[in-house]
Amino acid sequence: MSAGISFVGAGPGATDLITVRGARRIGEADVVLWTPSIIEAGWVRENTKPEAELIDMARHSDDEIVEVYRRAVRDKLRVVRLFAGDPATWGGLRAQLDICARVGLPADVVAGVSPMSAAAVSVGVSLVEPEYADSVIMAGQETVGMPDLAQIKEYAQFGTTMAVLVPAARAGELADALRAGGYDDETPVVAAYKVSWSDETVVRTTIGELVATVKQHRLWRHTLFLVGCAVRAGRARTASGESVRRPENAVRWSRTRSRSSWRADTRPAPASTPPAEKAPEPPKRVTAKVAEPAAKPAKAAAASTPTKSVTAQAKKTPAKTAAAAKSAAANKTGAKQPAKSTAKTGAKKTTRAQPQRARRSS
């Protein structure tokens, strides 16, 4: 068998929550690196080979663990290193893979069940919900005492679900950081200690009652806190009867999207609205009718003039105009030829004055 190491997620603690692949790797291992706080010791001893070497990492330094890697390469041993929950949520995984690459030890990773998921399903809630949260922010590890409070405050401003792993003895500092980020005292919280173990403690509380709840259940070691309205118990209500909401300064795009989809679902169909109700009596027509009477008197006055008078005037006007034109033309002609015009005028008068001759009787 060739040398190699498998980083196996041991799940939240219950032995039946280890994946089938992870259990198979444990049964094939020559060396098992683990911590009793991760999984029950009795199950590990029962499911490993009789000749397998069990090494408690809590009693060895990091340099001694690296020496185990080198020995595995030299002696062609199969090594399993157990992690609590899922190795993907452990910040030191990349560093361990780099060390294995330097010493020449092939490595693979086996996923596990996250304590965050186990705590949520144990109280019957989901970490994301369209009306309240569409993402999850994780902070803290068992290898680190307390996450940076400034980061907790910054993360809380998003108003989404938060999963924080911190010592329960510092629950007061955690509550202050959450309030500073925008959460109010009515925000639901789930506190989970050793979830899925036989002596697990999983309780519901709020940010305002967090410190009192921790003291009541005597929690002081590393505890997982799920914070946010998505982990509420059913339809959570405040003392005033209003639904618990996200902080006012939180990012609200998931709530807006869900309201938009609700409006689209509840908007009445276009066919149900009668189209002919708004058609009669448009405002423009009414306004035009009111303005028309101002122009009618002028038309009536013009219509009252008799037709004959208009016609007579029309006939007289051209005659006068023609006479005036002839008079003007005669004046111009008379100025140039005065003798001819006078002779013609006299001839006309003489002709009109002569009496008619009587007809002869036959």
Side-chain angles (χ1 to χ4, degrees):
M1 182 181 295
S2 60
I5 183 171
S6 296
F7 296 96
V8 177
T15 57
D16 55 352
L17 288 180
I18 297 178
T19 63
V20 176
R21 182 179 299 181
R24 184 165 57 248
R25 292 286 196 277
I26 294 172
E28 298 171 351
D30 300 311
V31 179
V32 177
L33 301 170
W34 70 302
T35 303
S37 61
I38 295 177
I39 196 170
E40 295 180 1
W43 184 91
V44 174
R45 295 189 181 94
E46 292 175 359
N47 290 272
T48 54
K49 297 189 298 186
E51 65 275 14
E53 180 182 3
L54 303 180
I55 299 176
D56 186 355
M57 290 186 297
R59 299 181 180 181
H60 295 78
S61 63
D62 293 340
D63 294 337
E64 292 175 339
I65 298 300
V66 175
E67 288 300 323
V68 174
Y69 295 168
R70 293 194 176 96
R71 179 161 61 91
V73 175
R74 182 180 65 250
D75 298 339
K76 297 183 179 181
L77 302 175
R78 295 292 304 175
V79 180
V80 167
R81 180 169 179 174
L82 295 177
F83 290 92
D86 188 0
T89 63
W90 183 59
L93 178 62
R94 183 182 295 274
Q96 292 298 313
L97 294 175
D98 292 342
I99 293 174
C100 293
R102 286 201 303 267
V103 302
L105 182 63
D108 69 328
V109 182
V110 179
V113 178
S114 171
M116 177 178 59
S117 301
V121 299
S122 67
V123 293
V125 300
S126 59
L127 297 173
V128 293
E129 192 171 332
E131 186 69 17
Y132 296 96
D134 55 5
S135 57
V136 181
I137 298 177
M138 301 170 53
Q141 306 176 57
E142 288 195 3
T143 56
V144 181
M146 180 74 181
D148 187 4
L149 293 178
Q151 289 184 350
I152 297 295
K153 176 182 176 180
E154 181 179 355
Y155 296 155
Q157 294 177 0
F158 289 94
T160 188
T161 303
M162 294 186 64
V164 187
L165 183 62
V166 296
R170 306 185 68 177
E173 300 177 43
L174 174 62
D176 293 339
L178 294 173
R179 290 192 191 96
Y183 284 108
D184 55 34
D185 288 344
E186 298 298 327
T187 304
V189 179
V190 173
Y193 172 71
K194 297 186 71 173
V195 61
S196 79
W197 289 65
S198 57
D199 56 344
E200 72 173 4
T201 300
V202 181
V203 294
R204 291 182 178 276
T205 183
T206 61
I207 292 179
E209 300 294 332
L210 183 59
V211 176
T213 302
V214 166
K215 291 180 179 179
Q216 177 183 356
H217 293 273
R218 299 180 181 180
L219 301 176
W220 57 276
R221 294 185 177 180
H222 275 80
T223 303
L224 179 64
F225 296 95
L226 304 179
V227 184
C229 293
V231 299
R232 71 199 184 285
R235 294 292 180 182
R237 298 281 176 177
T238 61
S240 60
E242 297 180 355
S243 299
V244 178
R245 298 180 179 179
R246 297 168 68 182
E248 292 300 327
N249 60 345
V251 179
R252 296 177 179 271
W253 46 273
S254 66
R255 184 182 297 180
T256 302
R257 182 179 62 229
S258 108
R259 283 204 302 264
S260 299
S261 62
W262 178 82
R263 289 195 187 103
D265 294 337
T266 58
R267 188 182 295 115
S272 62
T273 304
E277 291 182 358
K278 297 182 181 180
E281 296 181 3
K284 292 183 179 179
R285 293 183 179 178
V286 175
T287 306
K289 288 180 180 180
V290 173
E292 282 178 1
K296 286 183 179 180
K299 294 182 180 179
S304 64
T305 305
T307 307
K308 293 182 179 180
S309 300
V310 175
T311 306
Q313 291 176 4
K315 289 181 179 180
K316 290 178 181 179
T317 302
K320 292 180 180 180
T321 305
K326 288 181 180 181
S327 175
N331 293 335
K332 291 181 180 179
T333 307
K336 294 181 181 179
Q337 300 176 354
K340 291 183 180 180
S341 60
T342 306
K344 289 181 180 180
T345 307
K348 288 182 179 180
K349 288 181 179 181
T350 302
T351 302
R352 290 179 182 177
Q354 292 178 359
Q356 296 182 357
R357 295 179 181 179
R359 296 181 181 179
R360 294 179 181 181
S361 57
S362 53

